[in-house]
Amino acid sequence: MDLVRYEIKKCLRHSPFRKVVIFIILFHCAATTFLLFQKENGVSWVSLACSSDEVSRQFYENQIEEAKAYPQFVEQVLSEDDRLRQSTLFSDPGSYAFLSSERKAEYYRKLSHRQFQLQPAFSLSFILQEPVSLAMVLIFIIFSVYSLLIKEKEDHLEPLLMPIPRYKTKAAVHKFISLFLMGSGMFIFLELLKWGISLSLLGWKCDLSLPIQTVMGFLYVPYAMSAGSFLAVYLSMKAFITLFFLLFISAIAVRLNQGPAFYLCIILLFGAEIGLYNKIVNESFLILLKYVNLAALLQFNQYLSAFMSVPIGNYPIEICYLIILTCLLGVVSSGIFFRYATKHPKPEIKRNWKLNLKHDFHPRSLLNYEFRKFWMNGENLFVFIALIILQSFYCWQYSPYIGKDEYYYQQFSFQLQGTLDERQTKWVANQNQYYAGIQSQISKLYEQYADKKMDQRTLEREVFTLTLNLESMEGFQRAEQQMEQLQSLGKTEYVYETPVIQIFKAKEEILLKAGFLFLAISFWIAAAVGRDNALQMNHLIRIYEQRKHKVDVQKRKIVYFVSGGVYSFLFLSTVIVKLNYYEANILSYSAANVLALGVSLPFSILGLLFILFVLGLGYVIIFDEVLFRLTSGQRNRNSALWTNIGLSVIFLMILGVC
C-alpha cells in the first residue's frame, strides 16, 4: 500500500490537480444550485417546495388530483392492455408486443389496490432526476487518469522507475487502486454534496417504505417498488457506471503515451457515442447501440424513470437489468484489456521524420515536404479518417422523423398536386363526406350509450376503432386550406411545399458537424505548427531559419486544403442525402424564387446551395486563420491545443446564436 499512498500524495501535491478538484466541486455546487432555481414551465424546484407563487401551487394541486385518480389510471391501463392483447398486433404470445404488455400489466396489478397519498419529497425527486454528480465524477476520473498514467510518461519518469522490481510488476495495478480510491471518494463526496444542497433548499419529507409513485414527479414510473428500493437501485447502478468508467478510461490511458492523444481519443469516443445515440433510427438493426452506450449511461436515470423494458432478441428486458448487465460486461472487458495492457506495455513510438530518398535526384518542393510531414503525424491521419467514417455513418443512418400530421399532409398533397381543376374539388368533397360519415357514426354511438343501449367497454372499443380513421383528418385539412389559398390567389398549380431552406435548418446537426470539424482543425494546427515550435525547428534546420515565412505560407495552404476538403465532403454528402430523401423535383415553387424571380427550380436550389456552401467555407477559412495566428507563437503544444479547442467552443457558440 506504500505505492498507493505515494500515487495519491503525488496527485494531491500537484497544483493543477488541486485546482481541477476545487473547480469540479465549485462547478458541481453551482450547477446543482442553478438547476434547483431554474424554472421550467414557470416552476422551479425551490418555488415548488415552498409553493412561493401561484404557478407552483397550481402545479402541486394538479399533482395531488392526479394522485387521487391514480387507481382509476391503473384500472384504465389494465383494461387497455387486456383489450390490446386480444387484437391482431398482440395475438402472438411470443412476440415482444405481447410480452411487454403482459409485463406492464403484471406491474400495475401489484399497484391496483393501493391508495396513494402524494408525498412532497421534492429533495428525493430532484436527487433521482439530476445526473450532475455523475458527469462531474467522469470529468474528475479523466483528469485523474491523466495525472496518474499519462503525465508520468510525458515527464519521462517511466525509464527511471521501471528498474525498481516491485514498481515494474505492480505499477499499473497500484495506480488503478489509487484511482479507484480517489474516484469512489469523489463520487461519495459529490453525492453527499448534492444531497446536502437539495435537502437544505427543498427539505426532507419522505416515507421510503411507500411506493415510488407516491413521490412528487414519479407518479407514472412503471415500477412496483418502494421509494427506498428505487433509491438503492439508483445508487447501485450509479456505482457500477462509475466503476465502468474507471476501468474503461484507465485501459485507454495505459496504451497511450501522450496527453493530447489521450484527450483526443476520449473526445472522439464520446462524440461518436453521442452520434450513435442521436443518429441511429429505431428501425435500424443497430438499435442496441443507441441505448447501450456511454451517452445513454450518463442519462440512465431518465431511462430508469421513463422506460420499463427494451427489446433484446424479441424479449422485453427491464431497463435497470440491461444497464447493470452493460456495466458488468464493460467492467469485465475493460478489466481484461487493462490487464493485457499492463502485461504487454506499448513500446515507445519512434517517429522517423526522414523522407524517402528513393527519388532524391528530384528535389522536393517545400509544400511537398510539409504536406508529407503533416500526414506522417498519426493523430492528423486518425482524425481525418474518423471524420470520414463518422459522416459516412450519419449518411447511411439518415432518416428524419416526419410527424403523423405532416405525413398525411404529404400524402394528400400528392393527390392534389398538379393543375387545379374540377378533379381536385370533387376529390376534396368526397374526402370531407367520408370524414363527416365517421363523425356521424361516433355521435350515434354516444347516443346509444346515453340511452343505455351499450355498455362503456363496448363504447370505448368502437369509438377507438373509428377514431383511428380520423387520424389523417388534420393533414387533409392542411392540404385543403393550401388548395383554397392557392385558388384565392389565382394560382393554377398545386405543388407540395417542402422549401429547400427548411431542409437545412437543423441547427443541432449543423453544430454537431461543425464541432467535429473545428475539433479536427484544432488538432491539425496544433500538430502542424505547435510541434515545430516545440522542437524549435527554425534553430535546428537551416531551411526553417532562412525561409520561415515561406514555411508558414505552405502550412496555411495545407490546413486550408485539408479543412476545406473535409468541409466540402461533409456539406456535399449531407446535401445529396437530404435532397434525395426530400425528392428535390417536387420542392415548392416558393423555394424556386428565393434568389431571383423567374429562375427555374433546379437552378434556384443549386444557387442557394452554392451560397450556403461558400458562406460555410468562408467561416471555416476564417477559423483556420484565427487558430493559425494564435498558435504560430506558442511553443507548448498542449497549451496551443487547448487554446484552440477553447476557441472552437467560442466559434460554436457564435454559430449557435446566429
Side-chain angles (χ1 to χ4, degrees):
M1 296 298 293
D2 293 338
L3 283 176
V4 174
R5 285 195 297 269
Y6 164 75
E7 295 292 348
I8 295 176
K9 287 181 180 179
K10 186 174 65 175
C11 287
L12 295 178
R13 289 177 179 175
H14 192 218
S15 179
F17 183 84
R18 293 200 301 268
K19 292 178 182 178
V20 169
V21 171
I22 294 172
F23 171 77
I24 288 174
I25 294 173
L26 294 177
F27 185 83
H28 177 267
C29 294
T32 303
T33 307
F34 172 77
L35 291 172
L36 285 170
F37 283 95
Q38 182 189 27
K39 287 193 174 184
E40 185 176 351
N41 299 325
V43 180
S44 68
W45 286 100
V46 175
S47 63
L48 190 60
C50 303
S51 295
S52 57
D53 51 48
E54 184 63 30
V55 177
S56 301
R57 285 194 294 272
Q58 184 62 43
F59 182 84
Y60 183 57
E61 290 174 1
N62 293 339
Q63 288 287 99
I64 294 176
E65 293 298 322
E66 291 183 11
K68 291 179 180 178
Y70 192 77
Q72 289 83 354
F73 165 76
V74 172
E75 291 296 332
Q76 182 180 357
V77 170
L78 290 173
S79 62
E80 185 174 344
D81 275 0
D82 183 58
R83 180 177 59 81
L84 285 175
R85 283 196 299 276
Q86 298 175 10
S87 64
T88 304
L89 180 63
F90 288 73
S91 59
D92 184 6
S95 65
Y96 168 76
F98 184 91
L99 293 173
S100 179
S101 177
E102 196 175 50
R103 176 73 60 83
K104 183 169 69 172
E106 181 183 347
Y107 278 128
Y108 280 110
R109 285 193 196 99
K110 298 177 182 178
L111 302 169
S112 58
H113 302 296
R114 288 182 177 268
Q115 295 296 324
F116 288 93
Q117 181 64 41
L118 192 67
Q119 301 185 79
F122 302 102
S123 54
L124 181 61
S125 184
F126 174 79
I127 289 167
L128 291 172
Q129 293 187 39
E130 297 300 336
V132 182
S133 58
L134 186 61
M136 293 296 102
V137 168
L138 176 60
I139 296 174
F140 173 79
I141 289 172
I142 292 174
F143 192 79
S144 298
V145 169
Y146 169 77
S147 300
L148 286 169
L149 297 168
I150 298 293
K151 191 175 184 304
E152 201 169 77
K153 299 176 184 178
E154 290 185 339
D155 293 341
H156 305 291
L157 292 176
E158 273 191 327
L160 300 176
L161 295 173
M162 279 301 175
I164 303 174
R166 65 175 181 174
Y167 188 88
K168 183 176 182 180
T169 56
K170 299 181 179 180
V173 176
H174 283 130
K175 288 178 184 297
F176 177 75
I177 295 174
S178 306
L179 178 64
F180 176 77
L181 292 176
M182 290 192 298
S184 56
M186 179 60 76
F187 168 71
I188 295 172
F189 178 76
L190 292 182
E191 281 294 319
L192 292 176
L193 196 61
K194 184 172 76 170
W195 281 57
I197 294 173
S198 58
L199 290 175
S200 61
L201 293 177
L202 303 177
W204 173 263
K205 296 178 181 178
C206 184
D207 185 355
L208 295 178
S209 62
L210 293 177
I212 184 63
Q213 287 82 3
T214 62
V215 178
M216 168 68 76
F218 283 81
L219 190 61
Y220 298 108
V221 169
Y223 288 96
M225 62 174 66
S226 66
S229 301
F230 195 87
L231 180 62
V233 170
Y234 174 84
L235 292 176
S236 62
M237 292 170 65
K238 215 168 186 180
F240 271 121
I241 291 174
T242 303
L243 180 59
F244 171 54
F245 282 137
L246 279 169
L247 267 170
F248 186 78
I249 296 173
S250 300
I252 293 176
V254 169
R255 302 298 292 175
L256 297 175
N257 290 282
Q258 289 185 342
F262 169 69
Y263 287 120
L264 171 64
C265 187
I266 295 295
I267 292 171
L268 287 178
L269 178 67
F270 276 94
E273 290 291 82
I274 293 172
L276 290 172
Y277 178 76
N278 291 325
K279 291 296 181 180
I280 293 180
V281 297
N282 291 333
E283 296 79 13
S284 173
F285 71 96
L286 299 173
I287 185 64
L288 191 60
L289 297 177
K290 181 181 179 71
Y291 298 108
V292 183
N293 61 25
L294 299 177
L297 289 179
L298 284 176
Q299 52 182 344
F300 76 98
N301 54 330
Q302 298 179 13
Y303 286 101
L304 188 65
S305 59
F307 295 98
M308 183 176 62
S309 60
V310 294
I312 297 182
N314 205 32
Y315 187 81
I317 303 294
E318 288 187 31
I319 191 70
C320 60
Y321 294 149
L322 177 64
I323 295 176
I324 289 177
L325 181 62
T326 303
C327 292
L328 285 176
L329 291 175
V331 166
V332 173
S333 59
S334 299
I336 294 173
F337 180 48
F338 180 80
R339 188 60 180 168
Y340 172 82
T342 58
K343 288 288 186 180
H344 303 276
K346 184 178 180 182
E348 183 69 23
I349 298 176
K350 296 181 179 179
R351 292 187 175 91
N352 184 6
W353 297 99
K354 293 181 180 180
L355 296 178
N356 186 359
L357 301 178
K358 185 176 181 180
H359 303 289
D360 193 42
F361 51 87
H362 292 298
R364 298 185 183 277
S365 65
L366 187 60
L367 177 64
N368 182 282
Y369 169 76
E370 290 294 333
F371 195 75
R372 286 173 59 83
K373 190 175 70 173
F374 181 87
W375 289 119
M376 287 174 71
N377 191 317
E379 293 175 5
N380 293 346
L381 185 62
F382 175 70
V383 174
F384 182 83
I385 295 175
L387 272 176
I388 301 299
I389 294 175
L390 202 60
Q391 175 63 8
S392 301
F393 175 80
Y394 285 169
C395 293
W396 176 47
Q397 286 289 318
Y398 181 74
S399 179
Y401 172 76
I402 292 183
K404 177 182 63 177
D405 296 333
E406 180 65 28
Y407 170 77
Y408 286 120
Y409 170 57
Q410 182 189 70
Q411 299 304 312
F412 288 127
S413 295
F414 290 162
Q415 295 288 335
L416 295 172
Q417 193 164 261
T419 304
L420 292 173
D421 52 23
E422 292 184 3
R423 179 185 66 84
Q424 283 93 336
T425 305
K426 187 180 296 184
W427 187 86
V428 168
N430 292 336
Q431 198 68 24
N432 277 320
Q433 187 177 359
Y434 168 73
Y435 289 128
I438 295 175
Q439 291 173 331
S440 176
Q441 293 179 47
I442 294 175
S443 300
K444 290 179 181 179
L445 289 174
Y446 278 105
E447 291 176 0
Q448 293 178 13
Y449 176 72
D451 296 338
K452 298 183 178 180
K453 296 180 180 179
M454 182 184 298
D455 58 8
Q456 184 177 359
R457 188 181 182 85
T458 306
L459 173 69
E460 292 177 352
R461 183 173 64 251
E462 296 296 332
V463 169
F464 177 78
T465 304
L466 290 173
T467 305
L468 290 177
N469 296 323
L470 294 176
E471 278 189 343
S472 59
M473 187 172 178
E474 185 170 345
F476 166 74
Q477 289 175 346
R478 285 181 59 190
E480 183 183 18
Q481 292 172 2
Q482 175 71 10
M483 187 189 74
E484 292 174 352
Q485 183 180 6
L486 291 174
Q487 289 176 334
S488 65
L489 294 174
K491 302 291 184 180
T492 60
E493 292 283 335
Y494 184 104
V495 182
Y496 170 56
E497 289 201 14
T498 307
V500 69
I501 297 178
Q502 297 295 329
I503 296 177
F504 296 95
K505 277 191 175 181
K507 182 171 287 188
E508 294 80 8
E509 183 179 358
I510 294 174
L511 289 176
L512 181 64
K513 292 182 179 179
F516 281 123
L517 180 59
F518 290 174
L519 175 66
I521 294 173
S522 298
F523 273 91
W524 291 334
I525 294 179
V529 183
R531 181 180 177 85
D532 284 355
N533 290 346
L535 296 175
Q536 298 184 13
M537 295 290 285
N538 56 329
H539 296 303
L540 296 175
I541 300 177
R542 184 173 297 176
I543 192 174
Y544 271 71
E545 185 179 358
Q546 297 174 349
R547 306 172 65 184
K548 184 70 170 65
H549 64 287
K550 293 186 177 181
V551 173
D552 290 340
V553 171
Q554 304 305 336
K555 286 180 179 177
R556 275 187 171 85
K557 291 180 180 179
I558 293 168
V559 173
Y560 290 165
F561 175 78
V562 177
S563 59
V566 173
Y567 167 76
S568 302
F569 172 75
L570 295 175
F571 183 85
L572 293 177
S573 58
T574 302
V575 167
I576 292 172
V577 172
K578 287 196 170 187
L579 289 186
N580 179 64
Y581 178 82
Y582 282 102
E583 300 181 33
N585 58 327
I586 59 170
L587 292 172
S588 75
Y589 54 85
S590 60
N593 294 311
V594 170
L595 301 179
L597 296 175
V599 178
S600 64
L601 176 61
F603 285 106
S604 176
I605 294 174
L606 187 62
L608 178 62
L609 292 177
F610 179 75
I611 291 176
L612 293 176
F613 172 77
V614 171
L615 289 175
L617 186 61
Y619 199 83
V620 172
I621 292 175
I622 293 173
F623 180 73
D624 287 340
E625 184 64 25
V626 171
L627 287 191
F628 196 93
R629 289 181 178 275
L630 192 66
T631 311
S632 59
Q634 299 189 39
R635 290 189 175 180
N636 189 322
R637 185 190 171 198
N638 288 348
S639 64
L641 173 63
W642 289 109
T643 303
N644 292 356
I645 292 178
L647 196 63
S648 300
V649 175
I650 296 175
F651 266 76
L652 285 173
M653 292 173 63
I654 296 173
L655 187 63
V657 172
C658 294

